[in-house]
Amino acid sequence: MSLRLVFALAVALLFAAPAWSQASVESLDGARVQSMLGDLGFTGSELDADDDVIVRMQGYRVLILVGSNKGTSLMARFAVSGSKATLASMNEWNRTKQYSRAFLDADGDPVLESDLDLEGGVSEARIKDFLRTYNDSLRLFLNEIQ
């Protein structure tokens, strides 16, 4: 093997190593989600009886379904009553925004949801990005419905 080929392979392995070192996450439990939330600065989260996480985002309680989904996906969910939300404003949200969906529940209260499927594996960085993105979406959503 030529010296150039050995050098090229060594360089390729050096740059490929970070991709190999990231573990792929295919399932989670509530405690691990709590830890990731803590890494992002969201403290004081709680686990409920179903191993779902309740965390404060933008000053409101948000439910992150973990155990209810058997740890194979995450769903962030927020609902509030007494807002100015209408069916038209929820449709406008869904038409103009990405990464979340909004609707009026059976009581006419606005709901903001977002999902992350873990099947096939995702990185921890992707899970944290999902949580940050939901927090950003919630901030915008609150501005729309208040």
Side-chain angles (χ1 to χ4, degrees):
M1 202 181 292
S2 76
L3 187 55
R4 281 187 188 182
L5 181 58
V6 170
F7 180 74
L9 287 173
V11 169
L13 287 173
L14 179 67
F15 286 107
W20 290 344
S21 67
Q22 280 201 344
S24 181
V25 178
E26 294 187 22
S27 67
L28 290 169
D29 62 15
R32 187 154 178 208
V33 173
Q34 279 186 297
S35 175
M36 289 182 201
L37 285 162
D39 291 347
L40 297 171
F42 297 103
T43 59
S45 63
E46 307 167 21
L47 288 179
D48 70 8
D50 297 319
D51 200 34
D52 298 325
V53 178
I54 301 163
V55 63
R56 285 212 171 271
M57 291 182 170
Q58 304 298 322
Y60 291 89
R61 292 168 51 101
V62 171
L63 178 63
I64 301 176
L65 298 168
V66 183
S68 293
N69 294 336
K70 298 180 177 47
T72 60
S73 68
L74 298 179
M75 177 194 279
R77 187 171 204 277
F78 167 79
V80 67
S81 60
S83 78
K84 68 174 189 177
T86 64
L87 184 57
S89 66
M90 298 296 94
N91 286 340
E92 180 68 9
W93 176 274
N94 292 328
R95 190 180 67 75
T96 61
K97 304 295 189 283
Q98 294 180 315
Y99 312 119
S100 63
R101 66 186 161 277
F103 58 92
L104 298 177
D105 67 12
D107 296 323
D109 298 327
V111 177
L112 182 70
E113 290 183 342
S114 187
D115 300 287
L116 179 63
D117 183 8
L118 304 177
E119 189 172 333
V122 299
S123 68
E124 185 173 309
R126 175 65 195 106
I127 297 166
K128 288 179 178 179
D129 181 65
F130 166 77
L131 296 167
R132 275 192 300 269
T133 299
Y134 186 81
N135 183 58
D136 292 343
S137 291
L138 180 58
R139 180 179 39 79
L140 296 172
F141 186 71
L142 289 167
N143 288 334
E144 294 283 328
I145 65 169
Q146 292 179 344

